[in-house]
Amino acid sequence: SSHCVRTRKPRPRAHNDTFGVSFAHRPKLDFQTRAAMASPRLGHVLCLLTTVFSAVGVAKATGDEGACGAGNDEAACVSLLQARHADIAHRGLGSAEAALQEADLAELLRGVAEGRAEPMVVRELMPKLAAVMLRKLPSVSRQELDTLVASVVDHNGDGLLDREELSRALGMIEEVTEGEELSEPISPISLPGQMNASLAQVGQQTARGWETGSCCDGFSYYILEGRFFTPKYNLADNIISPFGCYLLMHFPGQNCNLNFFYANSGEPAPYGGMCRCTSSSNTWGDLTIRVSSSGNSIYWPM
């Protein structure tokens, strides 16, 4: 069993303490403890990343990367896919200090999203956000990040990120209704990598199963076309590409499961701009997969 234990959410702080990013007058704690104090979810994730990163090395050394082959245990496949993704995220953190910077910023953003702090000025936030995001995702340009924040997160364009905007962008608004909720659930879908699943496993409507794809100058993924899932969280309705949705999911303080999302913001048409995730507490097995009537597809980043 994992030694990573979720901590209780800390009591709300006064506004002046929420924005105090200096720890000069606080006890010297290790970065993971401080991250957990700032955001219990992030502290838990950091612990899991450290554990999984070690597991990735073992998998590579022992040749266990075939865990997603035909007929192999689905849980092992999930673990390996998550480990591969966590490996990339872990290397992106770079250092203990970088992880602590993300924990501090996550607390600031969630403070606004939860109504514990005043709206943040975009121009003051961007240097801190860029320092964290560009370290985590080196392929992202500052211009892409600026555009995402200005046109998607700050959707009213007033130069401030308020409670409504950040609670949405951080995956804290659940179960939006989009007119396709009544579509029939389909049979459980095999995970990416189990490509030879039979029709009996995936249902007659999903004979194509997962396919591989890429877009946006190097963003690679598995895609399940014409599908969406529930439960879901509404992140945005004006994302211009699947990579934009993926980028938004990596904002500090994010509530999403980072392994998969669905969107209709790219191929195939109609380019509707949706970006949806599910809670970080949900796994693939917790989802109900449905046929989309709005051009959505499920993406699992490689």
Side-chain angles (χ1 to χ4, degrees), residues 52-254:
V52 171
F53 184 56
S54 299
V56 172
V58 172
K60 290 178 178 178
T62 59
D64 287 341
E65 294 192 17
C68 286
N72 288 338
D73 180 68
E74 186 169 287
C77 182
V78 171
S79 297
L80 182 59
L81 288 165
Q82 291 176 336
R84 287 173 176 167
H85 191 69
D87 181 23
I88 297 172
H90 182 97
R91 285 185 275 113
L93 289 174
S95 68
E97 185 61 29
L100 184 56
Q101 289 176 3
E102 180 171 3
D104 290 344
L105 187 54
E107 171 61 9
L108 294 179
L109 295 175
R110 291 192 70 88
V112 176
E114 294 169 357
R116 298 184 282 110
E118 298 299 322
M120 302 187 72
V121 178
V122 171
R123 68 174 179 272
E124 296 176 358
L125 167 68
M126 288 311 300
K128 299 174 184 177
L129 182 62
V132 170
M133 294 293 291
L134 302 186
R135 186 182 296 114
K136 289 172 62 178
L137 302 172
S139 63
V140 177
S141 70
R142 174 62 188 267
Q143 182 178 359
E144 287 175 314
L145 184 60
D146 287 346
T147 299
L148 183 70
V149 173
S151 63
V152 177
V153 184
D154 182 22
H155 57 80
N156 64 6
D158 65 354
L160 297 173
L161 299 184
D162 58 32
R163 181 177 185 178
E164 179 182 353
E165 290 169 333
L166 281 178
S167 62
R168 186 183 196 195
L170 296 182
M172 299 168 68
I173 299 178
E174 188 176 9
E175 287 298 333
V176 295
T177 300
E178 296 166 342
E180 56 183 11
E181 299 291 351
L182 298 180
S183 64
E184 289 293 326
I186 58 179
S187 301
I189 303 296
S190 297
L191 294 162
Q194 297 176 322
M195 295 300 184
N196 65 338
S198 67
L199 293 181
Q201 290 175 298
V202 300
Q204 293 291 333
Q205 294 177 317
T206 61
R208 296 177 63 183
W210 291 98
E211 298 179 358
T212 57
S214 64
C215 74
C216 319
D217 297 324
F219 177 50
S220 299
Y221 47 78
Y222 297 103
I223 182 172
L224 196 61
E225 292 187 2
R227 306 291 177 259
F228 76 109
F229 55 71
T230 56
K232 60 180 183 283
Y233 286 73
N234 178 4
L235 300 185
D237 288 311
N238 58 344
I239 289 285
I240 63 172
S241 72
F243 183 68
C245 188
Y246 176 75
L247 180 57
L248 184 57
M249 286 173 55
H250 282 78
F251 268 44
Q254 185 58 262

